[in-house]
Amino acid sequence: MMASSYNAKEEDGHHSGAANHGGAGAVKSKKPDNTAFKQQRLPAWQPILTAGTVLPAFFVIGLIFIPIGIGLYVSSNNIKEFEIDYTGVDISSPCHTCAKNVSWNSTTPCLCSVHFTLKQPFESNVFMYYGLSNFYQNHRRYVKSRDDSQLNGDRSALMSPSKECEPYRTSEGQPIAPCGAIANSLFNDTLELYHIDSNGTRNTIPLVKKGIAWWTDKHVKFRNPGGNNNNLTLAFQGTSKPVNWRKPVYELDPLDDENNGFTNEDFIVWMRTAALPTFRKLYRIIQKKSSSTPTLPSGQYVLDINYNYPVLSFDGRKRMILSTISWMGGKNPFLGIAYITVGSICFFLGVVLLIIHHKYDTRNNSADIPN
Amino acid sequence: MTVLKDMPDKWFPLVLPLQRKKQKGLIGAKAKKSRTEEERRVRANDREYNEKFQYASNCIMTSKYNIITFLPVNLFEQFQEVANTYFLFLLILQLIPQISSLSWFTTIVPLALVLSITAVKDATDDYFRHKSDNQVNNRQSQVLIRGSIQNEKWMNVRVGDIIKLENNQFVAADLLLLSSTEPHGLCYIETAELDGETNMKVRQSVSVTSELGDPNNFASFDGEVVCEPPNNKLDRFCGTLYWRDKKYTLTNQNMLLRGCVLRNTEACYGLVIFAGPDTKLMQNSGRTKFKRTSIDRLMNTLVLWIFGFLVCMGVILAVGNAVWEREVGSLFQSYLPWDPPVDNFLFSAFLSFWSYVIILNTVVPISLYVSVEVIRLGHSYFINWDQHMFCSQCNTAAEARTTTLNEELGQVEYVFSDKTGTLTQNIMSFNKCSINGQTYGEGTDPLGPQQKRLDFTPFNPLADPDFCFYDDTLLESVKVGDSHTQEFFRLLSLCHTVMSEEKSEGELLYKAQSPDEGALVTAARNFGFVFRSRTPGTITTTEMGRTVTYTLLAILDFNNIRKRMSVIVRNPEGRIRLYCKGADTVLLERLNPCNQELMNITSDHLNEYAADGLRTLALAYRDLSEDDWESWSESHRCADKATNCREDRLAAAYEEIEQDMMLLGATAIEDKLQEGVPETIAVLSLANIKIWVLTGDKQETAVNIGYSCKMLTDDMTEVFIISGHTVQSVRQELRRARERMIELSRTRDGGKEEGMEGLGEACFMRYGFREGQQGDGTTGGGDGGKQLGCPPPPPPAPPPPSNLMDSISGEFALIINGHSLAHALEADMETEFVSTACACKAVICCRVTPLQKAQVVELIKKHKKAVTLAIGDGANDVSMIKSAHIGVGISGQEGIQAVLSSDYSFSQFRFLQRLLLVHGRWSYLRMCRFLCYFFYKNFAFTMVHFWFGFFCGFSAQTVYDQYFITLYNIVYTSLPVLAMGIFDQDVPDQRSLEYPKLYEPGQLNLLFNKREFFICIAQGIYTSVVLFFVPCAVLSDATQSTGVPLADYQTFSVTTATALVIVVSVQIALDTGFWTVINHVFVWGSLGCFFAIMIALHSQTLFRIFPNQFHFVGSAQSTLLQPVVWLTIALATAICIVPVLAFRFLKVDLKPQLSDTVRYTQLVRQKKRKPVSRSVAGAWRGAGSVSEGRLGARGGSRRSGYAFAHQEGFGELITSGKNMRLSSLALATFASRHSSSWIDTLRRKKYTHTPPSASGECSPAPSTLSGSVPPLSNSSSVLGGSQDTPIEEETGTATAHKSQTVLTSSAQTTPALASDSESATHQGSPQVPCAGALTTTAVRTNGGDSPGGWTITLSTVQEALFGWRARAAACNSPGSASFAKDNNQTE
């Protein structure tokens, strides 16, 4: 492909021959430079896989991985996690009716309550998640169905959203804000948690709804059109709410201007699409109140659900998860086990190779080569 | 003494890649001839008439484009590359929104890059072609237009023009010689550029035109030539000249071909017959083919497989998509409706297929091709920069002229080499001599103190200053007037056919037909016996400062059968003396018996010389009385005038007087090999590379060089010579050789060496005998004969199966002649030839035409699937260089065409070992490692998408960011692997030369083949599995320390990408065996680059500017700050790398390759800090370079060096005075008297020799073998090859040969004599009385059948010689007694 013609020597090959005889001593030698690079003599480190290097490497890997694995496993086991499925597939489930009746078009909210018991108290901060299964947030058409310019507060994009948002780009002649399938399918169940104390009274557990989104998402990626101080209703004038939504984007959290419009954290969390069809998203945070009492003491709890989000049509599931976290995040037994396994295998391999090496070593350590 | 052949003016780039493409464009406005030309009619001086036929003009065009056509044509050509079209197709797919799973720029950026680089390269190439075309086309020549000579450019010369050529000019087109300034319309040409032969050839014009003489007469010349259409046969021309109502036959003798140089002729006139592309030179230059390496081809196959794989994956995923859309997607529509055109799951699946094709296309990344080119370019620069391949004498460095073939250099199995100028310097030097039992000239001992070169000038003002001789005792001996020494040099100054030219007093210039003779005469000149001038009847010399004129009574010319020449001179005192020089085998038996003692001593010396690889000649004289002379000259005259059997009668007459001679001594001439040739050949053959020599030279010369460069050795089991003239005989000879090989290797393997060999021998001979008797019988007959004739030991193996041939052990060599080769290359015999030749360690083809060279190469390419390399220096090697996988041109010796058409060029043959064993090996190794890694990394990268498909509804969602996909191959992973591909070394260069066996993996294609490829792919897929599922398992549950889940798409994407980059970096770190600074910079740099670019792309700044392009804002920071992510990456890396490490370790530990061992020992040595390693290497190299291994040479077989490049006929030319300038001719009358008779003699000789069986056939094989060619012309070369060579009857020769071997083997007691008598018998013919009775009878009985039966080719003699040697060796073994007995019984 790239036949060289970088040397045009041939062109004057016959001249140079003549010049050699004629020009007395003035002939430039074409001798290549004697540099380490050109002569391929660059100093180099030449690693070889020898028993002296490979076997210790295996042992070292083993020795590093096993303790890490144990540490991970232990800390993962210390994490408390509670999960409850409230989809209502089962007839016995309190949400069964809701699950059957709810659709995007229903205007009346459907409420249901799920009772559960925490056997152990949850210390420190507790994180409340909602989980969806069989929900393909990672589908190509789904993932691309958004307009980041619009979400970033760009006015022109607000009025004429990207084509990627089709078929959720316009509604009744008006541009949809926020456009696209992701926004359109915003998770809109509301969950409330009550602790039932020994008297049987329901104590509301305060759920913090801020601080659940990525900092960059909240402060960089998502911005309301026309800056923060403006009237959101005005800013979104001329746009239409997403088809499935019950209220427009500027009414997502009417109580808090900071958490309204595109910068609504629930919205932001939803817009960060999941990698796998089964996923969980952070819903609320239960702050630890005092060091003496656990955040969630063991006992009876009630989860009140405002059931709006239909998942049965595609055989989806909805869950509520409560979890504490440690230094390495949530409960994750896989990582610890995997580390222990890999570490052990390395160690074992090291031993096996050592035996093989000693038994079948064909190489004599002399400087002779059997030729 | 050195006789340097005339250096032609540097020959302009005439033979350039001749593209036989349509003559489109501006210049070739002429339409292509629709019909093929059947005959050519050319009328002199009549352009209008000739234009009717639309013959090609003399303009050659090798360029491909002009400014306007460049862009479209080049693009069209580039898109003929499958890869480019494929990427264009992908690009189009990406423009469809429903399909596009990636942005268009991921494809167009690399594609544009590749296209533009290639276009620039093509443009520069073509620019240089334009330049050289112009140069050639604009050369001036003198054309006769309307009666006057005018200067015209070459390109304007037309068919039918009459051109005037002057001395030392290149012939512009194929010309019919009309007349010359020399008498009789003779002119001399040098054809080195055409066929590589350096001796001059004579051409003669038809007598009627030679009389015309000057331009005025030519203006009215209107002869018409009717001849054959353009063809590529250099040695053949058939045509008729019609002029003034008479017909004259034209042959090749009348033609001057383009590419020749006019020498020794003031001027000549010629009629253009073929011009430009029709010339024989251009017809012979073959087509330029785009050379691809085997790795390239393998790569293309693999790429096709990968496409197949890609389609399979696409189909699987599309099916998955169909199922998913039906089962899940259709229900999920409330959240995610189908795109408008999609209305059912099948259509969705169809689109998804194309989407996946786009995503997964990175398994065949376009950067593969670019990277491969870059690596090759790097290797080419290393070749150009290599100081070890720089020749300081000619100030030329090695040059890689194409950059596409480097790794193929590491896989070469066959090397085809030219001889002259490639293996040899074509310089003859008078090296040693033996005078009266005293040997002189021991100056070549490299270990001894450097002897001073003798300075002849004070002693002899006429001495040639270039002559080198180191032994001053010889000079002393001359000075003190030792009669033997003086006689010795007197002989050398008298007995030759050299012509001298003395421009001014003392400035002598010898024009020797063969450089051997020149060397001898120059030696005599320096030792005080200066040959000054000659006339047809006298020779004038200056002997020790005294001018003496001898009367030349007769020249008993050389021919291949006689292998000697003599002169009979009368000195001023009136004494008549015959001086003879010739092959020792021939000469020693014609000595006076009183020479016995001297002969023995001289014979020892001759053996010594032969062992040194020198060409020897024995010198003798005989005093003749006036009566002797009278009576002999009478019989000679009688023989000369004889009309029938003149040749034989002359030979008999010569034989009669060349008897009873007194031995003077012997000379030894060194045909100087290029520096380091034997070592190079030794190293290459250790590396399992087979070397074939293809030469236009004669068989003896070729064989001789074969010995001196250690290709042929005396301990070879057997050397076979194929020199048959008919299809059958060649077939028989081949079969015999094969059977012999099988026999010998069986006996060898059987362990019963001696006895078996003896038996086999006997059987072989008998079998040969039988077959000889059967003559040209059916081919199957031989087998039957064998079965009958051979009792137990060698079971019959009728057509030797190829597997048998493969397993042949033992050292064999094959020598085949050009005319036999012509038969062997025919379709039905080529497999036989290949299987025979390939079982031999060394193959020498002599007398081959340029086209045959190419055919041989093609043959091996076709049948062996091996990588071939052709190396040569002359224009005659061009076709071979072009057709071999790799062509190497030796620069700086002869012209420049070989270099121009070559792929690599350097100035010394010995650089070949470095080119192959160091650069080639490294290139191959690097390329293989590169490819393995490259496929691995792309599979690891791409297959992740496949696995992800199962989790994202088969929607063709990518795992990674689109920028990562764009940059992965171009930026993140390209440089480390490029650095490895360019700089990696497994063992240092001196080690590869030390252990040539290291070269073998390349030949066996072990480092990168389909198996290796699958291993790489498997490893890549494994890595992709790990890279997908480990993050998948870890992240699905994991959360940040802030409680935010990590399972979002962007975090997953960043984690996987980071893990991928780290894993492939670790892998390249494992693969890299040679960590230079550059590797470190690239590996660490790439990693750094990855993080830097990722963080930049995920930064807020970029997002603020293009919010729609950079979705991943903040992902890098938030992801990479998580300890879980790093733990995941570490885990994935460990899982990917640990098994690889374990396997590699096991492989190195349990089954180390030679390179591993060498590497390991080096490490051990370094650790022990032994300086020994250096000195060992040094010693080895030192040993190699010790004077071509001469010191250790044992007594070698003697090879007579008589005038190897010599042709007969010159003697006659001299005595007739033909070739002497009128000015230098004393007796002008002498010439005219004899002139016509000489030509007639030639004619007569020609026709008397055509056997009746030759029928009217116009072209029997271009048979030009020495002995069989009737001694008619000094042009019995490839070029001037006679069309009327008698077709020889194999019967006679074969039988004679066989019986001969029997004879000689029984006469083993006096080997030297035996061989002598053997040759005597071979000159054979019934009239030699001394021939053994057996032989004569044998010859007679069989010879009776065929008219030409007694003609025994020289090659047969040679064959017998070799056969004898091999047998003699066998006889020396313990079993020889029984063997001899056996022979007797057979007889």
Tab-separated table of all heavy atoms in Angstrom, chain B residues 472-489:
chain	number	residue	atom	x	y	z
B	472	ASP	N	56.995	-11.904	-4.069
B	472	ASP	CA	58.080	-11.298	-4.826
B	472	ASP	C	59.069	-12.326	-5.353
B	472	ASP	O	59.902	-12.011	-6.186
B	472	ASP	CB	58.796	-10.220	-4.008
B	472	ASP	CG	59.266	-10.748	-2.669
B	472	ASP	OD1	58.897	-11.899	-2.349
B	472	ASP	OD2	59.979	-10.030	-1.957
B	473	THR	N	58.983	-13.567	-4.872
B	473	THR	CA	59.933	-14.564	-5.391
B	473	THR	C	59.724	-14.804	-6.874
B	473	THR	O	60.663	-15.070	-7.608
B	473	THR	CB	59.783	-15.904	-4.641
B	473	THR	OG1	58.391	-16.255	-4.670
B	473	THR	CG2	60.228	-15.780	-3.211
B	474	LEU	N	58.486	-14.673	-7.299
B	474	LEU	CA	58.200	-14.896	-8.714
B	474	LEU	C	58.860	-13.811	-9.547
B	474	LEU	O	59.461	-14.069	-10.587
B	474	LEU	CB	56.688	-14.907	-8.944
B	474	LEU	CG	56.232	-15.198	-10.365
B	474	LEU	CD1	56.747	-16.542	-10.836
B	474	LEU	CD2	54.711	-15.157	-10.463
B	475	LEU	N	58.761	-12.598	-9.063
B	475	LEU	CA	59.358	-11.490	-9.792
B	475	LEU	C	60.878	-11.668	-9.831
B	475	LEU	O	61.515	-11.468	-10.878
B	475	LEU	CB	58.989	-10.170	-9.110
B	475	LEU	CG	59.363	-8.910	-9.865
B	475	LEU	CD1	58.715	-8.901	-11.237
B	475	LEU	CD2	58.934	-7.679	-9.086
B	476	GLU	N	61.422	-12.112	-8.702
B	476	GLU	CA	62.864	-12.372	-8.657
B	476	GLU	C	63.243	-13.395	-9.714
B	476	GLU	O	64.212	-13.240	-10.456
B	476	GLU	CB	63.266	-12.891	-7.264
B	476	GLU	CG	63.275	-11.816	-6.183
B	476	GLU	CD	64.080	-10.589	-6.606
B	476	GLU	OE1	65.224	-10.775	-7.074
B	476	GLU	OE2	63.538	-9.455	-6.517
B	477	SER	N	62.438	-14.415	-9.751
B	477	SER	CA	62.713	-15.512	-10.669
B	477	SER	C	62.704	-15.028	-12.116
B	477	SER	O	63.518	-15.454	-12.931
B	477	SER	CB	61.690	-16.603	-10.437
B	477	SER	OG	61.599	-17.441	-11.533
B	478	VAL	N	61.794	-14.134	-12.411
B	478	VAL	CA	61.768	-13.583	-13.763
B	478	VAL	C	63.018	-12.746	-13.999
B	478	VAL	O	63.680	-12.832	-15.031
B	478	VAL	CB	60.509	-12.714	-13.976
B	478	VAL	CG1	60.554	-12.035	-15.337
B	478	VAL	CG2	59.259	-13.543	-13.849
B	479	LYS	N	63.345	-11.963	-12.978
B	479	LYS	CA	64.475	-11.045	-13.135
B	479	LYS	C	65.785	-11.798	-13.347
B	479	LYS	O	66.606	-11.395	-14.170
B	479	LYS	CB	64.589	-10.149	-11.903
B	479	LYS	CG	63.630	-8.963	-11.926
B	479	LYS	CD	63.822	-8.106	-10.686
B	479	LYS	CE	62.819	-6.971	-10.636
B	479	LYS	NZ	62.741	-6.383	-9.294
B	480	VAL	N	65.975	-12.885	-12.591
B	480	VAL	CA	67.235	-13.602	-12.747
B	480	VAL	C	67.249	-14.392	-14.044
B	480	VAL	O	68.257	-14.972	-14.404
B	480	VAL	CB	67.532	-14.545	-11.563
B	480	VAL	CG1	67.607	-13.760	-10.271
B	480	VAL	CG2	66.474	-15.629	-11.465
B	481	GLY	N	66.098	-14.418	-14.709
B	481	GLY	CA	66.089	-15.017	-16.028
B	481	GLY	C	65.899	-16.513	-16.018
B	481	GLY	O	66.437	-17.225	-16.878
B	482	ASP	N	65.186	-17.006	-15.068
B	482	ASP	CA	64.883	-18.430	-15.035
B	482	ASP	C	64.132	-18.805	-16.306
B	482	ASP	O	63.107	-18.201	-16.638
B	482	ASP	CB	64.034	-18.724	-13.796
B	482	ASP	CG	63.654	-20.182	-13.716
B	482	ASP	OD1	64.468	-20.966	-13.221
B	482	ASP	OD2	62.530	-20.528	-14.174
B	483	SER	N	64.649	-19.771	-17.024
B	483	SER	CA	64.105	-20.035	-18.357
B	483	SER	C	62.674	-20.548	-18.283
B	483	SER	O	61.827	-20.175	-19.089
B	483	SER	CB	64.983	-21.042	-19.083
B	483	SER	OG	64.930	-22.281	-18.413
B	484	HIS	N	62.400	-21.374	-17.261
B	484	HIS	CA	61.039	-21.906	-17.163
B	484	HIS	C	60.031	-20.792	-16.908
B	484	HIS	O	58.983	-20.730	-17.525
B	484	HIS	CB	60.966	-22.936	-16.036
B	484	HIS	CG	61.586	-24.233	-16.401
B	484	HIS	ND1	61.013	-25.109	-17.288
B	484	HIS	CD2	62.764	-24.788	-16.019
B	484	HIS	CE1	61.793	-26.151	-17.424
B	484	HIS	NE2	62.872	-25.985	-16.672
B	485	THR	N	60.429	-19.917	-15.998
B	485	THR	CA	59.521	-18.832	-15.663
B	485	THR	C	59.291	-17.951	-16.872
B	485	THR	O	58.167	-17.533	-17.172
B	485	THR	CB	60.113	-17.996	-14.522
B	485	THR	OG1	60.625	-18.874	-13.548
B	485	THR	CG2	59.061	-17.099	-13.910
B	486	GLN	N	60.361	-17.684	-17.577
B	486	GLN	CA	60.214	-16.824	-18.747
B	486	GLN	C	59.347	-17.483	-19.813
B	486	GLN	O	58.490	-16.846	-20.416
B	486	GLN	CB	61.597	-16.488	-19.305
B	486	GLN	CG	62.392	-15.657	-18.307
B	486	GLN	CD	63.382	-14.750	-18.986
B	486	GLN	OE1	63.610	-14.865	-20.187
B	486	GLN	NE2	63.987	-13.843	-18.230
B	487	GLU	N	59.572	-18.768	-19.967
B	487	GLU	CA	58.793	-19.472	-20.969
B	487	GLU	C	57.306	-19.486	-20.576
B	487	GLU	O	56.421	-19.371	-21.410
B	487	GLU	CB	59.325	-20.914	-21.093
B	487	GLU	CG	58.933	-21.614	-22.388
B	487	GLU	CD	59.485	-20.932	-23.623
B	487	GLU	OE1	60.435	-20.142	-23.509
B	487	GLU	OE2	58.948	-21.161	-24.731
B	488	PHE	N	57.125	-19.604	-19.298
B	488	PHE	CA	55.764	-19.612	-18.745
B	488	PHE	C	55.034	-18.327	-19.128
B	488	PHE	O	53.930	-18.331	-19.671
B	488	PHE	CB	55.880	-19.729	-17.211
B	488	PHE	CG	54.585	-19.738	-16.470
B	488	PHE	CD1	53.933	-20.938	-16.237
B	488	PHE	CD2	54.028	-18.562	-15.969
B	488	PHE	CE1	52.741	-20.968	-15.529
B	488	PHE	CE2	52.852	-18.587	-15.268
B	488	PHE	CZ	52.201	-19.794	-15.042
B	489	PHE	N	55.685	-17.215	-18.902
B	489	PHE	CA	55.015	-15.953	-19.205
B	489	PHE	C	54.995	-15.676	-20.699
B	489	PHE	O	54.087	-15.014	-21.193
B	489	PHE	CB	55.667	-14.802	-18.429
B	489	PHE	CG	55.301	-14.817	-16.987
B	489	PHE	CD1	56.245	-15.055	-16.006
B	489	PHE	CD2	53.981	-14.630	-16.597
B	489	PHE	CE1	55.893	-15.098	-14.676
B	489	PHE	CE2	53.624	-14.665	-15.264
B	489	PHE	CZ	54.571	-14.901	-14.303
